[in-house]
Amino acid sequence: MNQLVARSLMRGLINGAKCNRSILCSVTRVELRDEKAAFGRMMSTETALAEKNQKEKSVEEVEKQSKVVFSSYWGIQRPKITREDGSPWPWNCFMMAFPQKEIKEKSVSKTEKNGEVDVSSYCGISRPKIVRKDGTEWPWNSFVPWETYHADTAIDLSKHHVPKTFVDKVAYRTVKLLRIPTDIFFQRRYGCRAMMLETVAAVPGMVGGMLLHLRSLRKFEHSGGWVKALLEEAENERMHLMTMVELVRPKWYERLLVLTVQGVFFNAFFVLYVLSPKAAHRVVGYLEEEAIHSYTEFLKDIDSGAIENVPAPAIAIDYWRLPKDATLKDVITVIRADEAHHRDVNHFASDIHFQGKKLNEAPAPIGYH
């Protein structure tokens, strides 16, 4: 009897232990399940926060990209311009003009101020008499004193855009091929070469400015000042030509060559700019690099005595504000500096296109000489 009681007690204890063990296991499983659920919720919360932060970062990046600041190897940046009240100037399509009216009023002669002006046309249009600071009359009709400037001869002449893309390589090789017949024809006659070069170099700015002008009219949008900048480049190149004509008198066959080259180049560049503005600006950038090289060789011949260092033409002295005793070397130096600036502008414009942007999204370097 006692043995039966003892056995039943032992069975009860064993069964109770098993029950407790099962209860403990079930409780442990529940706790683990709860911990896993809490950990999962925590991880999902962290993931959601990470995704939110990523979205915020991407939005910030998009906003930054929409406010692109085009700073490039060419170092062209929009100058900080403020109004008279100190507020920033908001427009890229035009700048605050130099007070031309005041200059004209100060420059006109006494007879004009007294109203004694001979009106040469029915519409009353007559050229104001402009005088220099020394009292002499301004002799040029093609430009006025407030359009003259001191050339930045400290610009880096060694900059070169290394062709990387297919378009760059095609543009670079094209310019190198165009140089071969020029070298054969002109050899070291750099005066004639410069004259021919300027008749071609003045075309791209006019073509680009014209096409951007038409685009601005079609799209009802500002050009960002690029129409004015490119037309300024064309005008500057034309002034180079007017200067070289004073130094070198072209022969009849050279004039015929100019007509042929200009006609072909104008139409070819027009088509190229319509099809690919980035390629067109890259070609011009490489052309300007070749111009820098040609003018550097020109200066070497002047220094060696192969070309006489004659006095500078009067038009060059007034246009670049050179000293009265300036020479041909001074003229070629400032022209070379202008070509370096044109190199920067066109490579910069091409870089903007390669970034997938439009020119009017970056302020144009108006007045960049």
Side-chain angles (χ1 to χ4, degrees), residues 219-287:
K219 299 287 187 178
F220 303 99
E221 62 184 14
H222 291 295
S223 69
W226 280 95
V227 172
K228 185 176 180 63
L230 293 178
L231 293 181
E232 279 183 351
E233 178 185 316
E235 173 65 12
N236 184 247
E237 296 284 8
R238 192 183 65 82
M239 290 304 299
H240 293 176
L241 177 62
M242 296 298 103
T243 301
M244 296 310 301
V245 168
E246 295 290 326
L247 297 167
V248 181
R249 295 296 176 181
K251 298 179 175 62
W252 67 269
Y253 59 87
E254 290 174 338
R255 290 178 178 272
L256 181 61
L257 182 63
V258 167
L259 289 173
T260 305
V261 172
Q262 189 184 80
V264 173
F265 184 75
F266 177 90
N267 289 283
F269 190 80
F270 179 90
V271 173
L272 178 62
Y273 203 98
V274 170
L275 296 177
S276 177
K278 61 184 176 184
H281 282 293
R282 191 67 80 202
V283 167
V284 179
Y286 286 130
L287 282 173

Side-chain angles (χ1 to χ4, degrees), residues 3-19:
Q3 290 178 354
L4 290 172
V5 172
R7 286 176 184 172
S8 62
L9 287 172
M10 289 295 293
R11 288 193 188 114
L13 290 171
I14 292 169
N15 291 333
K18 288 181 179 178
C19 182

Side-chain angles (χ1 to χ4, degrees), residues 66-85:
S66 64
K67 301 176 181 178
V68 180
V69 178
F70 291 93
S71 58
S72 71
Y73 171 70
W74 309 107
I76 298 175
Q77 294 180 353
R78 182 182 187 274
K80 291 183 179 179
I81 304 173
T82 57
R83 295 190 179 98
E84 293 179 357
D85 59 1

Side-chain angles (χ1 to χ4, degrees), residues 72-239:
S72 71
Y73 171 70
W74 309 107
I76 298 175
Q77 294 180 353
R78 182 182 187 274
K80 291 183 179 179
I81 304 173
T82 57
R83 295 190 179 98
E84 293 179 357
D85 59 1
S87 59
W89 183 258
W91 311 109
N92 293 328
C93 53
F94 62 97
M95 299 296 182
M96 294 180 67
F98 197 73
Q100 299 179 10
K101 186 175 180 181
E102 294 179 6
I103 295 176
K104 288 180 181 178
E105 289 177 355
K106 292 178 182 178
S107 302
V108 295
S109 63
K110 293 181 179 179
T111 56
E112 285 182 299
K113 286 187 176 181
N114 294 331
E116 300 175 7
V117 181
D118 291 330
V119 179
S120 57
S121 76
Y122 175 75
C123 298
I125 299 174
S126 61
R127 180 184 183 274
K129 290 183 179 179
I130 304 172
V131 294
R132 298 189 181 97
K133 292 180 180 180
D134 59 3
T136 58
E137 187 175 349
W138 184 258
W140 313 109
N141 292 325
S142 54
F143 63 99
V144 284
W146 48 87
E147 293 175 346
T148 63
Y149 63 97
H150 291 286
D152 178 19
T153 56
I155 189 170
D156 187 358
L157 301 173
S158 62
K159 284 184 179 179
H160 167 64
H161 183 276
V162 179
K164 297 178 181 178
T165 65
F166 175 75
V167 173
D168 287 351
K169 292 176 181 178
V170 171
Y172 183 73
R173 294 299 177 189
T174 301
V175 172
K176 287 297 183 182
L177 286 173
L178 291 174
R179 183 179 171 179
I180 294 174
T182 306
D183 289 341
I184 294 173
F185 185 81
F186 292 106
Q187 297 181 0
R188 296 196 70 83
R189 293 185 297 130
Y190 286 107
C192 297
R193 179 196 287 260
M195 183 191 62
M196 173 62 69
L197 180 69
E198 298 302 343
T199 61
V200 173
V203 171
M206 181 59 66
V207 172
M210 175 185 67
L211 291 176
L212 289 179
H213 172 70
L214 295 176
R215 178 187 177 86
S216 176
L217 298 179
R218 290 195 310 272
K219 299 287 187 178
F220 303 99
E221 62 184 14
H222 291 295
S223 69
W226 280 95
V227 172
K228 185 176 180 63
L230 293 178
L231 293 181
E232 279 183 351
E233 178 185 316
E235 173 65 12
N236 184 247
E237 296 284 8
R238 192 183 65 82
M239 290 304 299

